[in-house]
Amino acid sequence: MVSLQLTDLGAAYRGHKVFAEISTPALQGGQLVALLGPNGAGKSTLFRRIFGLLSGPGQIRIEGATAARPIAYMPQDNGARPVLSVYESILLARMQGRRLKVLPEDHAEVERVLNLLSITHLRGHNVGDLSGGQRQMVNAAQALAQQPQILLMDEPTSALDLSRQIDLMSLLHRLTREQGLLIIVAMHDLGHALRFADAAMVVNRGRMVACGPTHGVVTANLLREVFEVEARVEPCSKGTPQLVVEGRAAQPA
Ligand SMILES: Nc1ncnc2c1ncn2[C@@H]1O[C@H](COP(=O)(O)OP(=O)(O)OP(=O)(O)O)[C@@H](O)[C@H]1O
Ligand SMILES: [Mg+2]
């Protein structure tokens, strides 16, 4: 099983430090991890640092990887080339850094992810003509088509309608179980984190402030201190934990 461990990781843009000393235990394949934190906390930057788009201090240790490129990354805004068709854009994403010759198995993989995400009907559409949510589904397909063992997804459901949010999160959860993937999802929907994530890591003010099983991490205290809301986690009538938000926390004087 693949695992990913971060030790004292840091990142900066042109000398301006975003975060420092981010460490985690070895995050094991077979689980979905939520990456949480307020706007500007450094979630996207942490993904860029892990994926190797940014350099900086610290170590990223990957063990148990069998693929040549074990990590795939779905950026928050991927600036997809609008002139390509959906099919071509997924195929191109799959071919990144690999041989130039497209094999039958590459086409088969594109078909598989189109099916998996229920976007087969979009295959011939121009990426530039898609709605925001449709484009986000295509971005997810581009990442999945690389058949990663570790998948970093930056707010993959932010533009999706509610049923598609649930479909995508359920699919990701299923892939962790069936294929042993480690999937880390940056998200703002703490309800989804509580429902779908095995573990949560929280970044705030340049530090990792919590990392562990989701229900131990997403607590009233954390919601007040990191997200500045008065809220609590309570089981609904069916027993599923829900986030009940009362309002903004009082600002410290
Ligand atoms: N390319 C860049 N150049 C300079 N500063 C950047 C760059 N990208 C991000 N930053 C800064 O780094 C900090 C962290 O940004 P980042 O995008 O990682 O936050 P985030 O947690 O992903 O936020 P959000 O929830 O809004 O997506 C912010 O202060 C941001 O302004
Ligand atoms: Mg971000």
Side-chain angles (χ1 to χ4, degrees), residues 40 42-45 48 76 154-155 186 188:
K43 302 178 297 297
S44 300
T45 306
R48 285 185 210 119
Q76 196 165 356
D154 201 346
E155 300 194 31
H188 288 295

Side-chain angles (χ1 to χ4, degrees), residues 2-64:
V2 74
S3 73
L4 169 74
Q5 182 165 23
L6 312 179
T7 309
D8 292 334
L9 218 58
Y13 293 109
R14 292 180 293 275
H16 178 79
K17 197 188 281 185
V18 177
F19 57 76
E21 293 171 16
I22 287 201
S23 297
T24 64
L27 302 168
Q28 300 291 335
Q31 59 173 338
L32 198 153
V33 179
L35 173 58
L36 307 174
N39 291 133
K43 302 178 297 297
S44 300
T45 306
L46 180 58
F47 277 165
R48 285 185 210 119
R49 177 73 184 86
I50 296 171
F51 193 60
L53 300 176
L54 275 177
S55 56
Q59 288 91 47
I60 300 161
R61 179 193 290 256
I62 296 172
E63 286 187 350

Side-chain angles (χ1 to χ4, degrees), residues 32-175:
L32 198 153
V33 179
L35 173 58
L36 307 174
N39 291 133
K43 302 178 297 297
S44 300
T45 306
L46 180 58
F47 277 165
R48 285 185 210 119
R49 177 73 184 86
I50 296 171
F51 193 60
L53 300 176
L54 275 177
S55 56
Q59 288 91 47
I60 300 161
R61 179 193 290 256
I62 296 172
E63 286 187 350
T66 48
R69 287 163 57 92
I71 306 190
Y73 164 52
M74 172 184 168
Q76 196 165 356
D77 313 296
N78 88 340
R81 280 187 252 175
V83 290
L84 294 179
S85 73
V86 165
Y87 190 95
E88 289 164 342
S89 76
I90 298 171
L91 186 60
L92 193 69
R94 175 171 167 81
M95 302 307 291
Q96 264 171 33
R98 298 179 43 225
R99 62 186 177 270
L100 286 174
K101 191 167 158 32
V102 179
L103 301 174
E105 71 205 47
D106 296 316
H107 287 291
E109 181 58 20
V110 177
E111 296 293 347
R112 188 185 74 87
V113 295
L114 284 169
N115 262 310
L116 205 57
L117 292 166
S118 307
I119 53 170
T120 309
H121 60 291
L122 298 176
R123 58 187 298 139
H125 288 227
N126 204 310
V127 172
D129 297 340
L130 299 178
S131 74
Q134 289 171 334
R135 204 156 42 240
Q136 200 162 38
M137 294 295 280
V138 173
N139 295 348
Q142 289 180 315
L144 286 171
Q146 296 168 51
Q147 293 183 297
Q149 292 174 285
I150 299 172
L151 182 50
L152 312 176
M153 304 186 91
D154 201 346
E155 300 194 31
T157 62
S158 60
L160 303 184
D161 68 53
L162 191 51
S163 64
R164 286 186 178 82
Q165 290 177 32
I166 292 169
D167 286 350
L168 184 62
M169 292 308 300
S170 305
L171 170 66
L172 298 177
H173 188 268
R174 183 156 62 79
L175 292 176

